Amino acid sequence: MWDRLYASAFEKVINRLGNIGRVLLAYNTNIDAIKYLNSRDLEERVNRAGKEEVLRYSEELPEKIMSVQQLLGSILWSVKLGKAAELFVESCSTRFYMKLWGWDELRMGGQVGIMANLLGGVYGIPVIAHVPQISRLQAGLFKDGPIYVPKIENGQLRLVHPKEFNADEESCIHFIYEFPRGFTVFDFEAPRENRFIGSADDYNPNLFIRTEFRKNFDEIAKNVDLAIVSGLQALTKDNYREPFETIRGHLEVLNDRNVPAHLEFAFTPDETVRKAILDFLGNFWSVGLNEVELASIMEVIGEKRLAEKLLANDPVDPIAVTEAMLKLAERAGVKRIHFHTYGYYLALTDYKGEFVRDALLFAALAAAAKAKLGDVHSMDDIVKAMKVPVNERAKPVEEALAKEYGMEKGLAEVDDYQLAFVPTKIVEKPKSTVGIGDTISSSAFVGEFALKMG
Ligand code: AMP
Ligand code: GLC
């Protein structure tokens, strides 16, 4: 059944992507310098930096990175737990160390950058992107296609491709240390593939918003159909107020124009910021998150037991996820919650229709292509992802949903909501893991509107 649903959803979505006008993407764009870790090299570096001190940092992540020992310790923390983490690198000498260590690949990074290349460069949907700093290196990572950044010339706002922006601003580089499942270093073995990110970037972590966006937002937002917001995750209790005020203003403009906005949640370590985002969520139409992010929200609303349940099983217990999504929907007042985890996705919506599920299926194909290749180059890559088998481990998840909510063909009614489920396609040996979540959320969001508008 699922193979059939996958094929028909794909046909439907690609034929209708042209229905979408402009999508606004704000705020975080950077350069990802990807290093595929090598055990011997990493062990030698740890020994040279002082193994005892490094191991201490592998027990608990620091708040930010102030030394090479903290950097290496944080990488070991990620490997040991198979968990993703991202920290701001404050120390210049550590930034220099990372630069010398080098990278295997330079790739577009940040939710906005990744989504701009996918929506604009592959799906052909016109996008307006917020790029905090446009260096030549950053601009060169944008694919050709209808991707625009605002530029003020002679007092007039113009939309130009980032390559035509011709400014020589700073490069915001995030060093991504990727490791495969089973990667071993000393006595640690990675339970699953993942990455540690060290951001040598003074703009995105502070949610720097460009003058063009602060002064001309009304005009920028004039002709957009949809918006996707991201990049709030690195803020702290000390610096979140100002950007939040600007974003609140932007959302007012979007809501006045009835432009549905999606928030890509991303893991937000600072509890004050997480609570502030939660209080603010009602301004969005939709939100996208994974199990760790959903659990972190349950924690701040006092649902500790549910938070633990979300992290207890693999695959994640779908009944606990549904309960948590219902709580979030009631509390925040968003119309759509899109949950993704390794092996399946769920969407809770206050409206009904097969198009919600079909958009999730389309997103799972895009995710499989991204996992396999590291970057989606063309629609053809997504077509080829059809060959990746549907995840067998999602069967018990589907059975549990059928038993609890009478789910059929991935659709059920739960309270006054619709719950849509899809088992995903899992790539056995992914090229890398960074950016798959962004691929999933943006594809499902635009896919849904493409189907609805068609
Ligand atoms: P995030 O945790 O937000 O970065 O998103 C990662 C998501 O990517 C997971 O929730 C999975 O749904 C998906 N994913 C991770 N690894 C693979 C893989 N090997 N094949 C297909 N999808 C994957
Ligand atoms: C975060 C990171 C960025 C990465 C992105 C992928 O925004 O800062 O480096 O490309 O996540 O989702």
Side-chain angles (χ1 to χ4, degrees):
M1 175 185 88
W2 286 108
D3 281 336
R4 216 165 5 91
L5 289 176
Y6 261 106
S8 96
F10 180 71
E11 278 300 311
K12 280 191 243 171
V13 175
I14 53 157
N15 288 326
R16 291 181 174 83
L17 281 175
N19 291 337
I20 300 203
R22 279 186 185 160
V23 181
L24 176 72
L25 303 171
Y27 298 86
N28 60 327
T29 306
N30 63 270
I31 297 161
D32 280 348
I34 302 188
K35 176 95 195 158
Y36 298 101
L37 288 170
N38 168 295
S39 312
R40 272 260 304 280
D41 173 42
L42 183 56
E43 285 178 3
E44 278 169 19
R45 284 172 185 275
V46 172
N47 287 331
R48 251 178 289 153
K51 190 171 170 188
E52 205 177 314
E53 195 184 341
V54 171
L55 287 183
R56 216 165 354 121
Y57 292 120
S58 74
E59 297 290 316
E60 200 184 331
L61 286 181
E63 244 171 54
K64 55 187 168 190
I65 291 184
M66 317 255 275
S67 68
V68 169
Q69 287 76 11
Q70 286 185 331
L71 168 72
L72 297 170
S74 303
I75 294 175
L76 293 186
W77 179 92
S78 260
V79 169
K80 184 165 72 175
L81 301 173
K83 281 198 185 170
E86 175 166 357
L87 291 176
F88 171 61
V89 183
E90 190 172 80
S91 115
C92 271
S93 55
T94 310
R95 288 185 181 188
F96 191 59
Y97 176 93
M98 292 155 83
K99 218 169 183 176
L100 288 182
W101 192 355
W103 52 80
D104 299 302
E105 227 176 284
L106 281 182
R107 228 191 260 168
M108 176 60 82
Q111 274 79 20
V112 168
I114 292 167
M115 292 179 186
N117 270 350
L118 181 68
L119 305 191
V122 181
Y123 301 164
I125 300 172
V127 297
I128 303 176
H130 179 267
V131 187
Q133 287 288 290
I134 311 184
S135 67
R136 236 172 280 168
L137 192 58
Q138 179 75 75
L141 291 174
F142 279 94
K143 291 190 198 302
D144 292 333
I147 300 174
Y148 305 102
V149 288
K151 182 172 189 180
I152 313 271
E153 272 176 354
N154 307 322
Q156 295 278 325
L157 183 91
R158 281 185 58 217
L159 291 176
V160 298
H161 189 278
K163 286 180 191 155
E164 286 159 25
F165 188 83
N166 288 331
D168 213 356
E169 299 173 344
E170 286 180 46
S171 279
C172 302
I173 303 188
H174 293 193
F175 292 86
I176 318 270
Y177 299 98
E178 286 265 0
F179 50 87
R181 182 181 318 180
F183 177 82
T184 50
V185 51
F186 301 119
D187 300 338
F188 304 143
E189 182 174 341
R192 57 166 287 199
E193 60 274 15
N194 228 319
R195 76 276 174 177
F196 173 80
I197 305 182
S199 339
D201 170 359
D202 299 308
Y203 293 85
N204 289 293
N206 294 306
L207 215 129
F208 170 82
I209 300 178
R210 299 184 69 95
T211 319
E212 295 89 337
F213 273 73
R214 274 187 280 121
K215 297 244 162 85
N216 303 81
F217 194 76
D218 266 327
E219 203 178 335
I220 292 173
K222 215 184 248 162
N223 295 313
V224 306
D225 281 0
L226 296 173
I228 305 182
V229 171
S230 59
L232 280 55
Q233 64 268 17
L235 292 170
T236 65
K237 59 180 183 320
D238 303 318
N239 68 0
Y240 80 98
R241 284 176 205 278
E242 201 186 313
F244 261 55
E245 273 319 298
T246 313
I247 298 171
R248 194 183 296 281
H250 289 178
L251 283 168
E252 265 167 30
V253 173
L254 294 170
N255 286 329
D256 281 350
R257 294 183 194 279
N258 294 321
V259 175
H262 170 89
L263 175 72
E264 189 53 17
F265 187 78
F267 186 67
T268 310
D270 190 301
E271 276 204 15
T272 311
V273 179
R274 215 184 302 148
K275 276 190 197 138
I277 296 178
L278 191 59
D279 291 338
F280 193 59
L281 215 52
N283 295 301
F284 291 93
W285 166 286
S286 144
V287 60
L289 32 66
N290 68 18
E291 68 278 14
V292 180
E293 291 149 13
L294 186 59
S296 76
I297 292 184
M298 289 302 113
E299 255 173 36
V300 296
I301 62 173
E303 294 285 345
K304 294 227 171 354
R305 194 191 49 87
L306 202 46
E308 278 164 22
K309 256 193 182 173
L310 290 172
L311 300 177
N313 300 313
D314 181 24
V316 184
D317 172 5
I319 311 301
V321 174
T322 308
E323 270 180 46
M325 289 200 294
L326 285 167
K327 289 212 157 53
L328 178 58
E330 292 299 327
R331 156 89 194 237
V334 278
K335 294 181 184 304
R336 172 180 182 272
I337 301 174
H338 175 186
F339 169 85
H340 60 84
T341 186
Y342 197 79
Y344 71 92
Y345 311 152
L346 288 171
L348 187 81
T349 49
D350 77 355
Y351 46 89
K352 301 186 170 57
E354 287 184 355
F355 64 96
V356 178
R357 176 203 63 202
D358 290 346
L360 297 182
L361 290 166
F362 172 68
L365 289 170
K370 173 88 178 166
K372 193 160 182 192
L373 305 166
D375 184 32
V376 183
H377 305 94
S378 65
M379 275 298 191
D380 202 40
D381 288 345
I382 301 183
V383 175
K384 287 193 191 123
M386 202 78 85
K387 292 212 188 78
V388 177
V390 174
N391 174 27
E392 283 295 316
R393 290 179 60 211
K395 274 226 169 87
V397 173
E398 190 178 357
E399 283 160 11
L401 291 165
K403 191 160 159 240
E404 188 76 20
Y405 306 119
M407 179 166 277
E408 274 178 48
K409 290 192 186 161
L411 293 172
E413 277 186 33
V414 182
D415 297 348
D416 288 333
Y417 296 90
Q418 170 177 283
L419 184 67
F421 157 86
V422 305
T424 66
K425 297 185 169 245
I426 291 285
V427 173
E428 269 305 313
K429 289 210 168 83
K431 167 123 195 261
S432 67
T433 63
V434 69
I436 308 181
D438 310 334
T439 304
I440 297 169
S441 296
S442 56
S443 299
F445 185 61
V446 300
E448 199 179 295
F449 280 91
L451 292 175
K452 202 150 60 177
M453 287 170 183

